[in-house]
């Protein structure tokens, strides 16, 4: 029987050495080590042996079994390696081909401008505040000194939100037409002094070459004892120089907003011609960039501030417009089309 075991090992080994497929190796495994295999057959006959012989033969059988298993494993590994070699030899890999270009995303130019503006005012000591885009009529108009029948409501064509808000008893609700309601929310939330900029989206029923129903504004508010118009001028002039470059000049033109008194529109010297006069500034040398003024006493009262104690200034600017001026973009629609080829330039 011992000879039989040696013979079994030699035969199995010889078959494995010439096996060239997984199936062939598997066949060897079944034939020699399977339940009905050659090894089982030999071990099955061991019952008839004397105990001494049985022990010796058992040891030999275990050894052969271990050898066989190791050889099967080796054959499997050898076949896998050969398969990989064959695959690599067959594949045509041109390592000199250029790699595939991965396109990186970028911040939208409007977001970049917004961040820059906020950062510039942060250096001037302004915090950042935010408010909701769906706003109570009271914050958007009433508290800003624009009562229901006030003609100034026509200045900004308003999106009214469904009348269900009325039923809930919270009053009429609008998509905010400007960031100015955040002035009121910020003042109601803290005692003076307040010095903050308030960036965000605003909505108006307007859509043509130079207007989109949604755009971005940054509001500014500074309220404290003895805040003057001179400080407003100084602050906005510093901003214009930081944003457009040290050569930029500012000019304040009398204007009207219900929530500021006095009010001024602010022009910056034309960024395209330096003030000489060109097509963009319509030969005037100036470009309008924002609205501003001293906070109206009624507005301070609505925010529970005492106009006898504190004064303040406020301003608001359109971000798309500033972005276009800064990069010399002449079509507002490019700001919203999200053409990756266009956006990749900034
Ligand atoms: N809210 C005004 C607008 O949208 C801008 C503004 C803000 C004017 C603050 C004065 C003070 O046109």
């Amino acid at each position: 029987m011992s000879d039989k075991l040696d013979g079994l090992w030699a035969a199995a080994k010889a078959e494995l050495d010439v096996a060239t497929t997984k199936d062939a190796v598997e066949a060897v495994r079944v034939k020699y080590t399977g339940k009905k295999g050659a090894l089982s057959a030999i071990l099955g006959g061991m019952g008839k042996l004397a105990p001494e012989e049985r022990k010796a033969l058992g040891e030999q059988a275990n050894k052969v079994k271990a050898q066989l298993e190791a050889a099967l494993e080796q054959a499997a590994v050898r076949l896998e390696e050969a398969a990989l070699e064959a695959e690599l030899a067959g594949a045509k890999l041109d390592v000199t081909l250029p790699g595939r270009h991965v396109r990186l995303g970028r911040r939208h130019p409007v977001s970049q401008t917004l961040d820059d503006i906020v950062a510039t005012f942060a250096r001037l000591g302004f915090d950042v505040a935010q408010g909701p885009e769906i706003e109570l009529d009271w914050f958007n108009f009433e508290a800003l000194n624009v009562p229901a029948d006030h003609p100034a409501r026509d200045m900004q064509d308003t999106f009214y939100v469904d009348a269900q808000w009325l039923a809930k008893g919270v009053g009429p609700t609008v998509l905010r037409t400007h960031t100015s309601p955040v002035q009121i929310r910020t003042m109601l939330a803290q005692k003076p002094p307040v010095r903050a900029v308030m960036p965000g989206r605003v909505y108006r029923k307007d859509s043509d070459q130079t207007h989109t129903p949604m755009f971005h504004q940054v509001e500014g508010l500074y309220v404290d004892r003895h805040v003057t118009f001179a400080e407003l001028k100084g602050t906005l002039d510093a901003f214009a120089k930081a944003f457009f470059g040290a050569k930029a000049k500012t000019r304040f033109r009398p204007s009207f907003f219900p929530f500021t008194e006095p009010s001024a529109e602010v022009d910056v010297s034309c960024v395209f011609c330096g003030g000489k006069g060109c097509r963009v500034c319509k030969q005037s040398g100036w470009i309008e960039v924002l609205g501003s003024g001293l906070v109206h006493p009624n507005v301070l009262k609505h925010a529970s501030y005492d106009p006898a104690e504190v004064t303040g200034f406020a301003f608001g600017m359109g971000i798309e417009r500033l972005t276009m001026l800064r990069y010399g973009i002449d079509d507002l629609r490019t700001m919203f089309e999200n053409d990756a080829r266009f956006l990749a330039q900034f």
Side-chain angles (χ1 to χ4, degrees):
M1 268 179 125
S2 168
D3 290 348
K4 268 194 184 169
L5 275 173
D6 283 342
L8 180 148
W9 162 240
K13 179 88 172 67
E15 280 177 45
L16 273 181
D17 283 346
V18 298
T20 53
T21 63
K22 273 188 174 178
D23 285 348
V25 173
E26 176 63 10
V28 174
R29 192 186 67 74
V30 173
K31 179 172 171 190
Y32 292 97
T33 69
K35 264 196 193 128
K36 292 177 187 161
L39 194 59
S40 301
I42 296 175
L43 296 178
M46 269 170 53
K48 296 169 204 144
L49 297 174
E52 276 307 296
E53 274 176 307
R54 205 188 298 161
K55 184 165 176 264
L57 202 78
E59 273 166 17
Q60 191 191 353
N62 279 337
K63 207 177 112 204
V64 167
K65 193 172 176 216
Q67 275 175 330
L68 247 173
E69 274 163 4
L72 282 164
E73 172 69 23
Q74 261 172 31
V77 170
R78 172 171 57 79
L79 282 181
E80 247 166 57
E81 278 170 359
L84 187 65
E85 287 287 324
E87 198 185 312
L88 286 179
K92 288 198 184 66
L93 180 69
D94 182 354
V95 292
T96 66
L97 278 176
R100 222 164 266 165
H101 182 64
V102 180
R103 288 232 209 146
L104 290 184
R106 279 160 215 260
R107 293 188 55 67
H108 194 284
V110 166
S111 301
Q112 292 182 32
T113 304
L114 217 138
D115 289 350
D116 283 354
I117 292 171
V118 169
T120 302
F121 281 104
R123 286 197 293 277
L124 293 171
F126 284 74
D127 298 328
V128 179
Q130 270 174 327
E133 290 173 28
I134 298 176
E135 184 59 283
L136 288 171
D137 180 279
W138 189 82
F139 283 102
N140 196 81
F141 291 122
E142 293 278 330
L144 290 164
N145 202 32
V146 190
D149 55 354
H150 197 286
R153 289 207 178 201
D154 299 338
M155 282 167 66
Q156 304 173 350
D157 274 321
T158 309
F159 284 113
Y160 282 86
V161 177
D162 199 295
Q164 62 171 323
W165 294 94
L166 272 172
K168 286 186 182 150
V170 290
T173 310
V174 301
L175 295 187
R176 66 179 179 194
T177 56
H178 50 180
T179 41
S180 300
V182 192
Q183 288 186 29
I184 308 292
R185 290 184 174 275
T186 307
M187 286 191 274
L188 284 174
Q190 70 182 83
K191 291 202 177 85
V194 354
R195 187 159 48 193
V197 282
M198 308 145 209
R201 296 195 180 99
V202 301
Y203 302 84
R204 291 182 198 177
K205 262 194 211 158
D206 243 348
S207 193
D208 59 34
Q209 288 277 340
T210 53
H211 296 89
T212 47
M214 185 282 290
F215 60 102
H216 297 78
Q217 286 189 333
V218 172
E219 191 84 8
L221 176 70
Y222 177 32
V223 182
D224 199 353
R225 290 174 189 279
H226 315 301
V227 174
T228 66
F229 203 95
E231 280 168 283
L232 171 63
K233 291 184 77 173
T235 302
L236 290 180
D237 191 67
F239 164 72
K241 288 182 165 55
F243 189 80
F244 290 110
K247 286 200 188 114
K249 289 203 256 319
T250 50
R251 158 176 106 165
F252 288 67
R253 271 183 298 106
S255 184
F256 172 80
F257 298 101
F259 31 90
T260 46
E261 182 60 33
S263 303
E265 264 164 343
V266 182
D267 297 341
V268 62
S269 49
C270 179
V271 291
F272 298 101
C273 63
K276 285 199 260 326
C278 67
R279 189 182 57 82
V280 182
C281 62
K282 301 196 182 84
Q283 310 306 327
S284 73
W286 295 96
I287 294 181
E288 184 203 320
V289 289
L290 54 88
S292 68
L294 292 188
V295 181
H296 196 290
N298 289 349
V299 173
L300 293 173
K301 277 186 217 155
H302 279 126
S304 304
Y305 281 17
D306 182 355
E309 287 269 313
V310 292
T311 55
F313 67 66
F315 56 84
M317 53 185 110
I319 306 311
E320 279 77 4
R321 188 171 159 69
L322 285 170
T323 306
M324 289 168 70
L325 289 175
R326 176 189 226 182
Y327 294 118
I329 301 166
D330 57 10
D331 187 348
L332 176 65
R333 288 167 298 186
T334 56
M335 300 279 95
F336 297 96
E337 278 165 351
N338 285 336
D339 182 332
R341 293 164 303 178
F342 172 77
L343 296 176
Q345 302 174 81
F346 305 99

